[in-house]
Amino acid sequence: FLQHLSQLVSWKVLLVGVVLFLMRLIFLTALEKTNPAHNVDYWKVLPRDVLATIVFIFIVLPIADYLNRKLVYQPVLPDWINEWPLALRIFLYLVLADFGHYWVHRWLHTRVLWPSHRWHHSPTYMYWLAGVRGSIVQQTLVNVPYILAAAFVAIGPWWMAWAIVLKNMVQNDFMHLNLWWGNRWLEWIIVTPRYHHIHHSVDPAHYRGNLAALFPVWDHVFGTFVDPDKVPKPLVFGIDEKVPSVRMAIGI
């Protein structure tokens, strides 16, 4: 699985990545402009976020991948589990990886690990590309539950690694969309933009709330849920720290 994943960052898919980025830029920006939740100066913030994207793809991801290869070993599941239906194994992968992501994310908001996460929270605005930032330390830690859970889909079709990468991209774009979209019932099933926007708020009451990445049930079960219907607006984003960009990108 890791070998397939590493191949996706090669020059062969660079053109595909550029085309996908342009499609996201046109479609998602147009969608946000229909009813934006917050005022965003796209012409001002887009260049810095494109640069952050380049740093993340060509520096953070390769280094995190290297560290994960040295530190984490994907378990080998019994043959009888690999014979389960692919749909079931994909479901187990999503649930277990997201459960692990929740706890890693929760730990990233502790005093010790916060330096590795503050780059992600540094933007003072919110739109589809604002969530691209992830430090080397953060990405290395976040990768761990996905690597372990990927054992369930290690035996699968050739397109599995592509599907996981595209899923992660769509999920990250969606949760940061500049739309106050979602409702209480849906937010038992999936993280919506308004649900995740609260997590980026500088309000101390929201600082460690709505930590889930995909399935909000973890917030409900473990006491970190903040009800979007009860949150006063407008929200203010960013961090109350001045840290050099290189340090934030490394995560120290």
Side-chain angles (χ1 to χ4, degrees):
F1 173 79
L2 288 177
Q3 292 177 343
H4 289 304
L5 196 58
S6 64
Q7 292 172 359
L8 300 183
V9 192
S10 69
W11 65 269
K12 295 180 181 179
V13 297
L14 181 59
L15 179 59
V16 176
V18 171
V19 171
L20 281 175
F21 178 83
L22 293 175
M23 292 173 61
R24 292 156 62 202
L25 174 64
I26 295 170
F27 175 74
L28 296 178
T29 303
L31 179 63
E32 290 180 339
K33 284 182 171 294
T34 60
N35 187 25
H38 320 282
N39 292 323
V40 176
D41 186 345
Y42 290 92
W43 290 108
K44 180 179 179 181
V45 303
L46 191 61
R48 71 181 67 163
D49 290 333
V50 170
L51 177 60
T53 301
I54 293 171
V55 170
F56 182 73
I57 293 175
F58 293 102
I59 298 178
V60 172
L61 281 181
I63 295 176
D65 177 69
Y66 173 81
L67 293 173
N68 286 136
R69 289 174 183 272
K70 294 296 183 181
L71 301 174
V72 184
Y73 295 91
Q74 188 179 91
V76 178
L77 299 180
D79 291 339
W80 59 272
I81 293 181
N82 291 322
E83 294 173 357
W84 289 354
L86 180 61
L88 174 60
R89 290 189 285 119
I90 291 175
F91 174 76
L92 291 172
Y93 162 76
L94 292 174
V95 171
L96 294 175
D98 195 58
F99 177 73
H101 190 158
Y102 169 84
W103 282 105
V104 171
H105 192 186
R106 189 162 176 168
W107 295 330
L108 290 174
H109 279 270
T110 60
R111 182 176 61 85
V112 174
L113 291 179
W114 169 247
S116 68
H117 190 48
R118 58 189 166 197
W119 192 35
H120 184 74
H121 281 264
S122 61
T124 56
Y125 47 86
M126 193 58 50
Y127 77 115
W128 65 274
L129 193 56
V132 70
R133 293 164 177 80
S135 74
I136 293 171
V137 176
Q138 172 188 314
Q139 194 61 37
T140 301
L141 294 173
V142 168
N143 283 347
V144 173
Y146 289 91
I147 293 171
L148 298 177
F152 283 95
V153 292
I155 297 179
W158 64 269
W159 48 261
M160 184 60 65
W162 283 96
I164 290 174
V165 170
L166 290 173
K167 169 260 178 190
N168 291 341
M169 182 186 70
V170 171
Q171 176 183 330
N172 197 54
D173 288 353
F174 176 70
M175 69 200 304
H176 293 96
L177 273 177
N178 185 20
L179 298 171
W180 192 255
W181 185 84
N183 64 67
R184 181 172 299 179
W185 299 109
L186 183 62
E187 285 156 356
W188 271 95
I189 302 171
I190 190 171
V191 169
T192 64
R194 70 169 194 166
Y195 187 97
H196 189 67
H197 285 197
I198 293 170
H199 175 67
H200 279 264
S201 168
V202 297
D203 189 331
H206 309 151
Y207 184 64
R208 295 182 182 177
N210 292 7
L211 294 161
L214 180 61
F215 301 124
V217 65
W218 313 127
D219 286 310
H220 290 278
V221 171
F222 296 110
T224 50
F225 171 69
V226 177
D227 189 347
D229 288 331
K230 298 180 180 179
V231 171
K233 296 180 289 182
L235 295 174
V236 177
F237 307 109
I239 58 175
D240 189 20
E241 300 177 70
K242 296 294 183 181
V243 182
S245 299
V246 173
R247 280 184 54 194
M248 286 201 293
I250 296 172
I252 56 177

Coordinates of all heavy atoms in Angstrom, one line a residue, residues 110-182:
T110 N -2.8 19.2 22.7 CA -2.2 19.2 24.0 C -1.0 20.2 24.0 O -0.4 20.5 22.9 CB -1.8 17.8 24.5 OG1 -0.8 17.3 23.6 CG2 -3.0 16.9 24.6
R111 N -0.5 20.6 25.1 CA 0.6 21.6 25.2 C 1.9 21.0 24.5 O 2.6 21.8 23.8 CB 0.9 21.9 26.6 CG 2.0 22.9 26.8 CD 2.2 23.3 28.3 NE 2.5 22.1 29.1 CZ 3.8 21.7 29.2 NH1 4.8 22.3 28.6 NH2 4.0 20.6 29.9
V112 N 2.1 19.7 24.7 CA 3.4 19.2 24.1 C 3.3 19.1 22.6 O 4.3 19.4 21.9 CB 3.6 17.7 24.7 CG1 4.8 17.1 24.0 CG2 3.8 17.8 26.2
L113 N 2.2 18.7 22.0 CA 2.2 18.5 20.6 C 1.6 19.7 19.8 O 1.6 19.7 18.6 CB 1.4 17.2 20.2 CG 2.0 15.9 20.7 CD1 1.1 14.7 20.3 CD2 3.4 15.7 20.0
W114 N 1.1 20.7 20.5 CA 0.5 21.8 19.8 C 1.5 22.5 18.8 O 1.0 22.8 17.6 CB 0.1 22.9 20.8 CG -0.3 24.2 20.1 CD1 0.3 25.4 20.3 CD2 -1.4 24.4 19.2 NE1 -0.3 26.4 19.5 CE2 -1.3 25.8 18.8 CE3 -2.4 23.6 18.7 CZ2 -2.2 26.4 18.0 CZ3 -3.3 24.2 17.8 CH2 -3.2 25.5 17.4
P115 N 2.8 22.6 19.0 CA 3.7 23.2 18.0 C 3.6 22.5 16.7 O 3.9 23.1 15.6 CB 5.1 23.1 18.7 CG 4.8 23.1 20.1 CD 3.5 22.4 20.3
S116 N 3.3 21.2 16.7 CA 3.3 20.5 15.4 C 2.0 20.7 14.6 O 1.8 20.4 13.5 CB 3.4 19.0 15.7 OG 2.3 18.5 16.3
H117 N 1.0 21.4 15.3 CA -0.3 21.5 14.7 C -0.7 23.0 14.4 O -1.7 23.2 13.7 CB -1.4 20.9 15.6 CG -2.7 20.8 15.1 ND1 -3.0 20.2 13.8 CD2 -4.0 21.1 15.6 CE1 -4.3 20.2 13.6 NE2 -4.9 20.8 14.6
R118 N 0.1 23.9 14.9 CA -0.4 25.3 14.8 C -0.3 25.8 13.4 O -1.0 26.8 13.1 CB 0.5 26.2 15.7 CG 1.9 26.2 15.5 CD 2.7 26.9 16.6 NE 4.1 26.6 16.6 CZ 4.9 26.8 17.6 NH1 4.5 27.3 18.7 NH2 6.2 26.5 17.5
W119 N 0.5 25.3 12.5 CA 0.5 25.7 11.1 C -0.8 25.5 10.5 O -1.3 26.4 9.7 CB 1.6 25.0 10.3 CG 1.9 25.6 9.0 CD1 1.9 26.9 8.7 CD2 2.3 24.9 7.8 NE1 2.2 27.1 7.3 CE2 2.5 25.9 6.8 CE3 2.5 23.6 7.5 CZ2 2.9 25.6 5.5 CZ3 2.9 23.3 6.2 CH2 3.1 24.3 5.2
H120 N -1.5 24.4 10.8 CA -2.8 24.1 10.2 C -3.8 25.2 10.7 O -4.7 25.5 9.9 CB -3.3 22.8 10.7 CG -4.6 22.4 10.1 ND1 -4.7 22.0 8.7 CD2 -5.8 22.3 10.6 CE1 -6.0 21.7 8.5 NE2 -6.7 21.9 9.6
H121 N -3.7 25.7 11.9 CA -4.6 26.7 12.4 C -4.2 28.1 12.2 O -4.9 29.0 12.6 CB -4.8 26.5 13.9 CG -5.6 25.3 14.3 ND1 -7.0 25.5 14.6 CD2 -5.4 24.0 14.4 CE1 -7.5 24.3 14.9 NE2 -6.6 23.4 14.8
S122 N -3.1 28.3 11.5 CA -2.6 29.7 11.4 C -3.4 30.6 10.4 O -3.4 31.8 10.7 CB -1.1 29.7 10.9 OG -1.0 29.0 9.6
P123 N -4.1 30.1 9.4 CA -4.9 31.0 8.6 C -5.9 31.8 9.3 O -6.6 31.2 10.2 CB -5.5 30.1 7.5 CG -4.6 28.9 7.5 CD -4.1 28.7 8.9
T124 N -6.1 33.0 9.0 CA -7.1 33.9 9.7 C -8.4 33.9 8.8 O -9.2 34.8 9.0 CB -6.6 35.3 9.9 OG1 -6.1 35.8 8.6 CG2 -5.4 35.3 10.8
Y125 N -8.5 33.0 7.9 CA -9.7 32.9 7.0 C -10.0 31.4 6.8 O -9.3 30.5 7.2 CB -9.3 33.5 5.6 CG -8.0 33.1 5.1 CD1 -7.8 31.9 4.4 CD2 -6.8 33.8 5.4 CE1 -6.6 31.4 3.9 CE2 -5.6 33.3 5.0 CZ -5.5 32.1 4.2 OH -4.3 31.7 3.8
M126 N -11.1 31.2 6.2 CA -11.6 29.8 6.0 C -12.2 29.7 4.6 O -13.2 30.3 4.2 CB -12.6 29.4 7.1 CG -12.9 27.9 7.2 SD -11.4 26.9 7.5 CE -10.7 27.7 8.9
Y127 N -11.6 28.8 3.8 CA -12.2 28.4 2.5 C -11.6 27.1 2.1 O -10.8 26.5 2.9 CB -11.9 29.5 1.4 CG -10.6 29.6 0.9 CD1 -10.3 29.3 -0.5 CD2 -9.5 29.9 1.6 CE1 -9.1 29.4 -1.0 CE2 -8.2 30.0 1.1 CZ -8.0 29.7 -0.2 OH -6.7 29.8 -0.8
W128 N -11.9 26.6 0.9 CA -11.6 25.2 0.6 C -10.1 24.8 0.7 O -9.7 23.7 1.0 CB -12.1 24.8 -0.8 CG -11.5 25.6 -1.9 CD1 -11.9 26.8 -2.4 CD2 -10.4 25.1 -2.7 NE1 -11.1 27.2 -3.5 CE2 -10.2 26.2 -3.7 CE3 -9.6 24.0 -2.8 CZ2 -9.2 26.1 -4.7 CZ3 -8.6 23.9 -3.7 CH2 -8.4 24.9 -4.7
L129 N -9.2 25.8 0.4 CA -7.8 25.5 0.4 C -7.1 25.8 1.7 O -5.9 25.5 1.9 CB -7.1 26.2 -0.8 CG -5.7 25.8 -1.2 CD1 -5.6 24.3 -1.5 CD2 -5.2 26.6 -2.3
A130 N -7.8 26.4 2.6 CA -7.2 26.9 3.9 C -6.6 25.7 4.7 O -5.8 25.9 5.5 CB -8.2 27.7 4.7
G131 N -7.2 24.5 4.5 CA -6.7 23.4 5.4 C -5.6 22.6 4.8 O -5.3 21.5 5.3
V132 N -4.9 23.1 3.8 CA -3.8 22.3 3.2 C -2.6 22.2 4.1 O -1.8 21.3 3.9 CB -3.4 23.0 1.8 CG1 -2.7 24.3 2.1 CG2 -2.5 22.1 1.0
R133 N -2.4 23.1 5.1 CA -1.2 23.1 5.9 C -1.2 21.9 6.9 O -2.1 21.7 7.6 CB -1.1 24.4 6.7 CG -0.9 25.7 5.8 CD -1.2 26.9 6.6 NE -1.0 28.1 5.8 CZ -1.8 28.6 4.8 NH1 -2.9 28.0 4.6 NH2 -1.5 29.7 4.2
G134 N 0.0 21.3 6.9 CA 0.2 20.2 7.8 C 1.7 20.1 8.0 O 2.4 19.9 7.0
S135 N 2.2 20.2 9.2 CA 3.7 20.2 9.5 C 4.2 18.7 9.3 O 3.4 17.8 9.2 CB 4.0 20.7 10.9 OG 3.6 19.7 11.8
I136 N 5.5 18.6 9.2 CA 6.1 17.3 9.1 C 5.8 16.4 10.2 O 5.4 15.3 10.1 CB 7.6 17.5 8.9 CG1 8.0 18.2 7.6 CG2 8.3 16.1 9.0 CD1 9.4 18.6 7.4
V137 N 5.9 17.0 11.4 CA 5.6 16.2 12.6 C 4.1 15.8 12.7 O 3.8 14.6 12.9 CB 6.0 17.0 13.9 CG1 5.6 16.2 15.2 CG2 7.5 17.3 14.0
Q138 N 3.3 16.8 12.4 CA 1.8 16.4 12.4 C 1.5 15.4 11.4 O 0.8 14.4 11.7 CB 1.0 17.7 12.1 CG -0.5 17.4 11.9 CD -1.3 18.6 11.4 OE1 -1.1 19.7 11.9 NE2 -2.1 18.4 10.3
Q139 N 2.0 15.5 10.2 CA 1.6 14.6 9.1 C 2.2 13.2 9.4 O 1.5 12.2 9.2 CB 2.2 15.0 7.8 CG 1.6 14.3 6.6 CD 0.1 14.5 6.5 OE1 -0.4 15.6 6.8 NE2 -0.6 13.4 6.1
T140 N 3.3 13.1 10.0 CA 3.9 11.8 10.4 C 3.0 11.1 11.4 O 2.7 9.9 11.3 CB 5.3 12.0 11.0 OG1 6.1 12.6 10.0 CG2 5.9 10.6 11.3
L141 N 2.5 11.9 12.4 CA 1.6 11.3 13.4 C 0.3 10.9 12.9 O -0.3 9.9 13.2 CB 1.5 12.3 14.6 CG 2.8 12.6 15.4 CD1 2.5 13.7 16.4 CD2 3.3 11.3 16.1
V142 N -0.3 11.8 12.1 CA -1.6 11.6 11.5 C -1.6 10.4 10.6 O -2.6 9.6 10.5 CB -2.1 12.8 10.8 CG1 -3.4 12.5 9.9 CG2 -2.5 13.9 11.8
N143 N -0.5 10.1 9.9 CA -0.4 9.0 9.0 C -0.5 7.6 9.7 O -1.0 6.7 9.1 CB 0.9 9.0 8.2 CG 0.9 10.0 7.1 OD1 -0.1 10.6 6.7 ND2 2.1 10.3 6.6
V144 N -0.1 7.6 10.9 CA 0.0 6.3 11.6 C -1.3 5.5 11.7 O -1.3 4.3 11.2 CB 0.5 6.5 13.1 CG1 0.5 5.2 13.8 CG2 2.0 7.0 13.0
P145 N -2.4 6.1 12.1 CA -3.7 5.3 12.1 C -4.1 4.8 10.7 O -4.7 3.8 10.6 CB -4.7 6.2 12.8 CG -4.2 7.5 12.7 CD -2.7 7.4 12.7
Y146 N -3.8 5.6 9.7 CA -4.2 5.3 8.4 C -3.3 4.1 7.8 O -3.8 3.2 7.1 CB -4.1 6.5 7.4 CG -5.2 7.5 7.7 CD1 -4.9 8.6 8.6 CD2 -6.4 7.5 7.1 CE1 -5.9 9.5 8.9 CE2 -7.4 8.4 7.3 CZ -7.1 9.4 8.2 OH -8.1 10.3 8.5
I147 N -2.1 4.2 8.2 CA -1.2 3.1 7.8 C -1.6 1.8 8.4 O -1.7 0.7 7.8 CB 0.3 3.4 8.1 CG1 0.8 4.6 7.3 CG2 1.2 2.2 7.9 CD1 2.1 5.1 7.7
L148 N -1.9 1.8 9.7 CA -2.3 0.6 10.4 C -3.6 0.1 9.9 O -3.8 -1.1 9.6 CB -2.4 0.9 11.9 CG -1.1 1.3 12.6 CD1 -1.4 1.6 14.1 CD2 -0.1 0.2 12.5
A149 N -4.6 1.0 9.7 CA -5.9 0.6 9.2 C -5.9 0.1 7.8 O -6.8 -0.7 7.4 CB -6.9 1.7 9.4
A150 N -4.9 0.6 7.0 CA -4.8 0.2 5.6 C -4.6 -1.3 5.4 O -4.7 -1.8 4.3 CB -3.8 1.1 4.9
A151 N -4.2 -2.0 6.5 CA -4.1 -3.4 6.4 C -5.3 -4.1 5.8 O -5.3 -5.1 5.2 CB -3.7 -4.0 7.7
F152 N -6.5 -3.5 6.1 CA -7.7 -4.1 5.7 C -7.9 -3.9 4.2 O -8.7 -4.7 3.6 CB -8.9 -3.4 6.4 CG -9.1 -3.9 7.8 CD1 -8.5 -3.2 8.9 CD2 -9.8 -5.0 8.1 CE1 -8.7 -3.6 10.2 CE2 -10.0 -5.5 9.4 CZ -9.4 -4.8 10.4
V153 N -7.2 -3.0 3.5 CA -7.4 -2.8 2.1 C -6.1 -3.1 1.4 O -6.0 -2.7 0.2 CB -8.0 -1.4 1.8 CG1 -9.4 -1.3 2.2 CG2 -7.1 -0.3 2.4
A154 N -5.1 -3.6 2.1 CA -3.8 -3.9 1.4 C -4.0 -4.9 0.3 O -3.2 -4.8 -0.7 CB -2.8 -4.5 2.5
I155 N -4.9 -5.8 0.4 CA -5.2 -6.7 -0.7 C -6.5 -6.2 -1.4 O -7.6 -6.3 -0.8 CB -5.4 -8.2 -0.2 CG1 -4.1 -8.7 0.4 CG2 -5.8 -9.1 -1.4 CD1 -4.1 -10.1 0.9
G156 N -6.3 -5.6 -2.5 CA -7.5 -5.0 -3.1 C -7.2 -4.6 -4.6 O -6.0 -4.8 -5.0
P157 N -8.1 -4.0 -5.2 CA -7.8 -3.6 -6.6 C -6.8 -2.5 -6.8 O -6.5 -1.8 -5.8 CB -9.2 -3.1 -7.1 CG -9.9 -2.7 -5.8 CD -9.4 -3.6 -4.8
W158 N -6.3 -2.3 -8.0 CA -5.2 -1.4 -8.3 C -5.6 0.1 -8.0 O -4.7 0.9 -7.6 CB -4.8 -1.5 -9.7 CG -5.9 -1.1 -10.7 CD1 -6.8 -1.9 -11.3 CD2 -6.1 0.2 -11.2 NE1 -7.7 -1.1 -12.1 CE2 -7.3 0.2 -12.0 CE3 -5.6 1.5 -11.0 CZ2 -7.8 1.3 -12.6 CZ3 -6.1 2.6 -11.6 CH2 -7.2 2.5 -12.4
W159 N -6.9 0.4 -8.0 CA -7.3 1.8 -7.9 C -7.5 2.2 -6.4 O -7.8 3.3 -6.1 CB -8.6 2.0 -8.6 CG -9.7 1.0 -8.3 CD1 -10.0 -0.1 -9.2 CD2 -10.5 0.9 -7.2 NE1 -11.0 -0.8 -8.6 CE2 -11.4 -0.3 -7.4 CE3 -10.7 1.6 -6.1 CZ2 -12.3 -0.6 -6.5 CZ3 -11.7 1.3 -5.1 CH2 -12.5 0.1 -5.3
M160 N -7.2 1.3 -5.5 CA -7.5 1.6 -4.1 C -6.7 2.8 -3.5 O -7.2 3.6 -2.9 CB -7.2 0.3 -3.2 CG -7.6 0.5 -1.7 SD -9.3 0.9 -1.5 CE -10.1 -0.7 -2.1
A161 N -5.4 2.8 -3.8 CA -4.6 3.9 -3.4 C -5.0 5.2 -4.0 O -5.1 6.2 -3.2 CB -3.1 3.6 -3.7
W162 N -5.4 5.2 -5.2 CA -5.9 6.4 -5.9 C -7.2 6.9 -5.2 O -7.4 8.1 -4.9 CB -6.2 6.2 -7.4 CG -5.0 6.1 -8.2 CD1 -4.3 5.1 -8.6 CD2 -4.4 7.3 -8.8 NE1 -3.2 5.4 -9.4 CE2 -3.3 6.8 -9.6 CE3 -4.6 8.6 -8.8 CZ2 -2.4 7.6 -10.3 CZ3 -3.7 9.5 -9.5 CH2 -2.7 9.0 -10.2
A163 N -8.1 5.9 -4.9 CA -9.4 6.3 -4.3 C -9.1 6.9 -2.9 O -9.8 7.9 -2.5 CB -10.2 5.0 -4.2
I164 N -8.2 6.4 -2.1 CA -7.9 6.9 -0.8 C -7.4 8.3 -0.9 O -7.8 9.2 -0.1 CB -6.9 6.0 0.0 CG1 -7.6 4.7 0.3 CG2 -6.4 6.6 1.2 CD1 -6.7 3.6 0.9
V165 N -6.4 8.6 -1.8 CA -5.9 9.9 -2.0 C -7.0 10.9 -2.4 O -7.1 12.0 -1.8 CB -4.7 9.9 -3.0 CG1 -4.3 11.3 -3.3 CG2 -3.5 9.1 -2.4
L166 N -7.8 10.5 -3.3 CA -8.9 11.4 -3.8 C -9.9 11.6 -2.7 O -10.4 12.8 -2.5 CB -9.6 10.8 -5.0 CG -8.7 10.8 -6.3 CD1 -9.5 10.1 -7.4 CD2 -8.4 12.2 -6.7
K167 N -10.2 10.6 -1.9 CA -11.1 10.7 -0.7 C -10.5 11.7 0.2 O -11.3 12.6 0.8 CB -11.3 9.4 -0.1 CG -12.0 9.4 1.2 CD -11.0 9.3 2.4 CE -11.7 9.4 3.7 NZ -10.7 9.5 4.8
N168 N -9.3 11.7 0.6 CA -8.7 12.6 1.5 C -8.7 14.0 1.0 O -8.9 15.0 1.8 CB -7.2 12.2 1.8 CG -7.1 10.9 2.6 OD1 -8.1 10.5 3.2 ND2 -6.0 10.2 2.6
M169 N -8.4 14.2 -0.3 CA -8.5 15.5 -0.9 C -9.9 16.1 -0.8 O -10.0 17.3 -0.4 CB -8.0 15.5 -2.4 CG -7.9 16.8 -3.0 SD -7.5 16.7 -4.8 CE -9.1 15.9 -5.4
V170 N -10.9 15.4 -1.3 CA -12.2 15.8 -1.2 C -12.7 16.1 0.2 O -13.4 17.2 0.4 CB -13.2 14.8 -1.9 CG1 -14.6 15.2 -1.7 CG2 -12.9 14.7 -3.4
Q171 N -12.4 15.3 1.1 CA -12.7 15.4 2.5 C -12.2 16.7 3.1 O -12.9 17.5 3.7 CB -12.3 14.2 3.3 CG -12.5 14.4 4.8 CD -11.9 13.1 5.6 OE1 -11.9 12.0 5.0 NE2 -11.5 13.4 6.8
N172 N -10.9 17.0 2.8 CA -10.2 18.2 3.3 C -10.8 19.4 2.7 O -11.0 20.4 3.4 CB -8.7 18.1 3.0 CG -7.9 19.1 3.9 OD1 -8.0 19.1 5.1 ND2 -7.1 19.9 3.2
D173 N -11.0 19.4 1.4 CA -11.7 20.6 0.7 C -13.0 20.8 1.3 O -13.4 22.0 1.6 CB -11.8 20.3 -0.8 CG -10.5 20.3 -1.5 OD1 -9.4 20.7 -0.9 OD2 -10.4 20.0 -2.7
F174 N -13.8 19.8 1.4 CA -15.2 19.9 1.9 C -15.3 20.5 3.3 O -16.1 21.4 3.5 CB -15.9 18.6 1.8 CG -17.3 18.6 2.3 CD1 -18.3 19.2 1.6 CD2 -17.7 18.0 3.5 CE1 -19.6 19.2 2.1 CE2 -19.0 18.0 4.0 CZ -20.0 18.6 3.3
M175 N -14.5 20.0 4.2 CA -14.7 20.4 5.6 C -14.2 21.9 5.8 O -14.6 22.5 6.8 CB -13.9 19.5 6.5 CG -12.5 19.5 6.4 SD -11.7 18.0 7.1 CE -12.3 18.0 8.8
H176 N -13.4 22.4 4.9 CA -13.0 23.8 5.0 C -13.7 24.7 4.1 O -13.4 25.9 4.0 CB -11.5 23.9 4.7 CG -10.6 23.2 5.7 ND1 -10.2 21.9 5.6 CD2 -10.2 23.6 6.9 CE1 -9.5 21.5 6.6 NE2 -9.4 22.5 7.5
L177 N -14.7 24.3 3.3 CA -15.5 25.1 2.4 C -16.0 26.4 3.1 O -16.4 26.3 4.3 CB -16.7 24.4 1.8 CG -16.4 23.5 0.6 CD1 -17.7 22.8 0.2 CD2 -16.0 24.4 -0.6
N178 N -15.9 27.5 2.4 CA -16.4 28.8 3.0 C -18.0 28.8 2.8 O -18.5 29.7 2.2 CB -15.8 29.9 2.2 CG -16.2 31.3 2.8 OD1 -16.6 31.3 4.0 ND2 -16.0 32.3 2.1
L179 N -18.6 27.9 3.5 CA -20.1 27.8 3.5 C -20.5 27.4 4.9 O -19.9 26.5 5.5 CB -20.6 26.7 2.5 CG -20.3 27.0 1.0 CD1 -20.7 25.7 0.2 CD2 -21.1 28.2 0.5
W180 N -21.5 28.0 5.4 CA -22.1 27.6 6.7 C -23.2 26.6 6.4 O -24.4 26.8 6.6 CB -22.7 28.8 7.4 CG -23.0 28.6 8.9 CD1 -24.2 28.4 9.4 CD2 -22.1 28.4 9.9 NE1 -24.1 28.1 10.8 CE2 -22.8 28.1 11.1 CE3 -20.7 28.5 10.0 CZ2 -22.2 27.9 12.4 CZ3 -20.1 28.3 11.3 CH2 -20.8 28.0 12.4
W181 N -22.7 25.4 6.0 CA -23.6 24.4 5.5 C -23.6 23.2 6.4 O -22.5 22.8 6.9 CB -23.2 23.9 4.1 CG -24.2 23.0 3.5 CD1 -25.3 23.2 2.9 CD2 -24.0 21.5 3.5 NE1 -25.9 22.1 2.4 CE2 -25.1 21.0 2.8 CE3 -23.1 20.7 4.0 CZ2 -25.3 19.6 2.6 CZ3 -23.3 19.3 3.8 CH2 -24.4 18.8 3.1
G182 N -24.8 22.6 6.7 CA -24.9 21.4 7.5 C -26.1 21.5 8.4 O -26.8 22.5 8.4

